Amino acid sequence: MVKKSLLVLLLGLLSLILVACGGKDEASSEAQEEEVIGGDIEGATELTFWTFVGQHVDLFRDSAERWNKENPERPIKLVAETYPYDQMHNNLLMALQAGKGAPDIVDIEQSKYANYMQGEPQLLPLNEYVEPVLEDSVSSRFEMYAKDGKYYGAPTHVGATVMYYNTEIMDQAGVDIDSIQTWDDFVEAGKKVVENTDAVMWNVGTTDYLMDFFPMVSQRGSDFFNEEGEVILDNKANIETLQFLQDVLYKHEIAELTPGGMNQTEEYYGYMNDGNAATVLAPLWYMGRFLDNMPDLKGKMAIRPLPAWEEGGDRTAGMGGTGTVVTNQTEHAELAKEFLAFTKLSKEGNINLWKVLGFDPPRWDVWESEEVREDNKYYEYFGTGIFDTLLEIKDEINEIHLTEHTPDVATEYNTNVAESVLRQQTQSPEEALKAAADKIRGMK
């Protein structure tokens, strides 16, 4: 059971910046919305689904309609409810604590997930559906939602972090983007961009650690916690990574602080759309941000792996994510699990993660399928090499260790570390990370 003390702590946490799994965060500030699929089918079994991103309902709507066509003898009536982010997670935690009121199926965002793994998880294992597909999947994205050999969550995407290059700016600077293999190459290319164009090479954020610091930490095999849950935020690799971010701003002078603090603000969208920076570091689901907010860059942006820290090093990281689970309060356990697997673990379900949501599916065995390679709005904007890049880096995504203190790391970095190191330069990376790490250790 989830401990009461943990519940009180969680309800007292400040709201974190939601890094949605692509698409618009339609639920972050709206009241609850409900949609019923299959309600007109006689004898349908009702399943409830909670989410905090309205776009995710699109996937489940499509899946419910397909399920009812393919399984007329076992139809379902899906009641999908969309809540604001914090409200949904808090409601779920309280329902699990109370032993009643939880839905059959629910989305849990990555940074909140560890809160539901405390003690004996009140979720149902999905091993019979997960284990058969692991060999054909980016398995690290399933490990995030596992405990003691049991897989509780079905991932929504890989969230492979890539570098988006404005080829118009890079060509003007005389830089071949495929020559950028390491972060040292990136710095040298950035100097040419600054010298030969009116743009900077990059932007460094200060209010969202998932959009530069954490993926750069992860790609070098580091993390904020080790396998035992111990804090390693202030280790050497992390200090060196933060030093690099400070250096591109003030030593190499090839970058600027991100307008608006992060690359998901109206201020930043306008800045980037006007051609003021040559690159964006973000997960693949960020493609939707380009389409929705930066229309003038259509046909100019190319997707490539991240520069490696050293030749032969990892060139990506898995960032952001949502694990969809079945709660132990469902009265239709087998049907709920089978429907969830149908939606997010089957080949057709993974193809629809791309076709419906524009996400990089966890099952890499569909990345070369005809359905995934069909022309669509993403290929029209970014070109046809999206999944070729993913296939190149699919084995370079390291596992992330989530704990109940992962939200505390986000709070410390976004409010204290980035401010003192990247904005004010009042602390060294080592000083700031040590102070943050010690504070989090003190919470244990």
Side-chain angles (χ1 to χ4, degrees):
M1 297 289 288
V2 180
K3 296 180 180 179
K4 291 184 178 180
S5 59
L6 175 60
L7 175 61
V8 173
L9 172 63
L10 291 168
L11 295 178
L13 285 174
L14 294 175
S15 296
L16 300 177
I17 296 170
L18 170 61
V19 181
C21 308
K24 295 179 180 178
D25 177 18
E26 300 170 9
S28 61
S29 60
E30 298 178 1
Q32 171 191 346
E33 296 181 4
E34 180 178 292
E35 179 175 342
V36 179
I37 301 97
D40 57 347
I41 301 177
E42 185 177 354
T45 300
E46 181 173 312
L47 296 177
T48 52
F49 167 59
W50 287 4
T51 185
F52 54 93
V53 181
Q55 190 188 23
H56 292 185
V57 176
D58 297 341
L59 179 74
F60 276 80
R61 180 193 309 112
D62 177 272
S63 182
E65 291 171 352
R66 286 191 299 110
W67 173 276
N68 287 337
K69 287 180 181 178
E70 296 179 24
N71 300 276
E73 75 289 354
R74 293 189 298 155
I76 64 171
K77 171 186 174 182
L78 184 69
V79 180
E81 300 180 11
T82 305
Y83 294 86
Y85 175 76
D86 281 317
Q87 180 185 344
M88 194 218 76
H89 286 94
N90 289 339
N91 286 355
L92 177 62
L93 196 62
M94 288 188 287
L96 295 178
Q97 170 70 26
K100 61 181 179 178
D104 299 289
I105 303 169
V106 59
D107 280 344
I108 302 178
E109 198 267 332
Q110 172 187 299
S111 67
K112 297 286 191 180
Y113 195 82
N115 300 329
Y116 303 88
M117 290 289 100
Q118 302 306 302
E120 182 66 28
Q122 298 178 65
L123 313 173
L124 299 184
L126 303 172
N127 288 51
E128 67 264 45
Y129 299 104
V130 171
E131 290 174 351
V133 305
L134 279 179
E135 186 175 319
D136 297 321
S137 303
V138 180
S139 60
S140 62
R141 302 309 279 171
F142 288 87
E143 298 300 335
M144 294 166 49
Y145 308 121
K147 180 179 181 180
D148 298 331
K150 296 180 180 179
Y151 297 95
Y152 293 98
T156 305
H157 57 57
V158 175
T161 304
V162 296
M163 191 66 76
Y164 296 87
Y165 290 96
N166 184 319
T167 56
E168 185 175 73
I169 295 174
M170 300 304 287
D171 289 346
Q172 184 181 349
V175 176
D176 175 5
I177 61 174
D178 291 316
S179 70
I180 302 174
Q181 298 295 314
T182 67
W183 282 109
D184 287 340
D185 295 337
F186 185 85
V187 169
E188 293 307 309
K191 293 176 181 177
K192 293 181 180 179
V193 168
V194 171
E195 180 180 351
N196 298 312
T197 76
D198 294 328
V200 295
M201 182 64 165
W202 192 30
N203 296 103
V204 177
T206 54
T207 61
D208 186 359
Y209 76 130
L210 289 174
M211 287 297 180
D212 40 44
F213 182 57
F214 196 16
M216 295 172 72
V217 162
S218 181
Q219 72 166 140
R220 65 193 303 171
S222 187
D223 205 332
F224 299 152
F225 302 91
N226 61 19
E227 292 182 357
E228 289 73 40
E230 298 169 332
V231 181
I232 58 170
L233 176 62
D234 53 348
N235 69 14
K236 181 180 178 181
N238 296 355
I239 292 170
E240 290 176 350
T241 303
L242 186 56
Q243 183 66 61
F244 178 85
L245 293 177
Q246 187 185 68
D247 286 348
V248 296
L249 290 166
Y250 304 111
K251 179 180 177 181
H252 305 304
E253 297 183 330
I254 64 168
E256 293 177 339
L257 292 172
T258 305
M262 63 180 296
N263 61 16
Q264 298 185 80
T265 64
E266 292 303 319
E267 186 178 354
Y268 175 78
Y269 294 144
Y271 165 95
M272 189 67 195
N273 190 59
D274 289 340
N276 287 302
T279 66
V280 183
L281 184 155
L284 198 74
W285 54 253
Y286 191 84
M287 290 189 300
R289 304 297 198 265
F290 279 103
L291 269 67
D292 292 341
N293 303 287
M294 295 168 272
D296 294 342
L297 298 181
K298 181 178 180 179
K300 299 179 182 179
M301 302 304 300
I303 296 173
R304 294 292 186 274
L306 293 182
W309 285 102
E310 56 188 19
E311 290 191 18
D314 292 337
R315 297 165 297 164
T316 189
M319 287 294 115
T322 296
T324 310
V325 305
V326 176
T327 73
N328 66 351
Q329 293 181 22
T330 181
E331 296 179 358
H332 311 286
E334 294 309 314
L335 180 63
K337 290 194 292 183
E338 187 175 351
F339 174 65
L340 175 56
F342 178 83
T343 303
K344 298 185 69 178
L345 299 180
S346 67
K347 281 192 174 181
E348 184 66 28
N350 270 249
I351 289 169
N352 279 349
L353 285 169
W354 166 252
K355 293 176 69 173
V356 177
L357 301 180
F359 295 169
D360 44 348
R363 285 185 62 157
W364 58 261
D365 62 343
V366 306
W367 292 358
E368 293 184 292
S369 67
E370 291 182 7
E371 295 91 339
V372 163
R373 299 290 178 144
E374 290 175 356
D375 192 29
N376 63 12
K377 60 185 179 180
Y378 298 104
Y379 290 130
E380 291 173 3
Y381 194 106
F382 297 100
T384 60
I386 298 171
F387 281 93
D388 293 328
T389 296
L390 289 177
L391 285 166
E392 188 180 339
I393 59 179
K394 69 180 179 66
D395 297 324
E396 301 177 28
I397 297 176
N398 294 310
E399 183 180 350
I400 294 173
H401 300 112
L402 302 176
T403 80
E404 67 269 30
H405 292 292
T406 296
D408 298 314
V409 172
T411 299
E412 281 301 306
Y413 186 85
N414 296 339
T415 60
N416 297 320
V417 175
E419 179 69 20
S420 64
V421 175
L422 302 178
R423 283 193 177 277
Q424 304 298 332
Q425 299 184 77
T426 54
Q427 284 185 303
S428 70
E430 183 174 4
E431 291 169 338
L433 289 178
K434 187 177 188 309
D438 286 344
K439 184 174 181 178
I440 295 167
R441 291 185 184 107
M443 297 177 181
K444 291 187 166 239

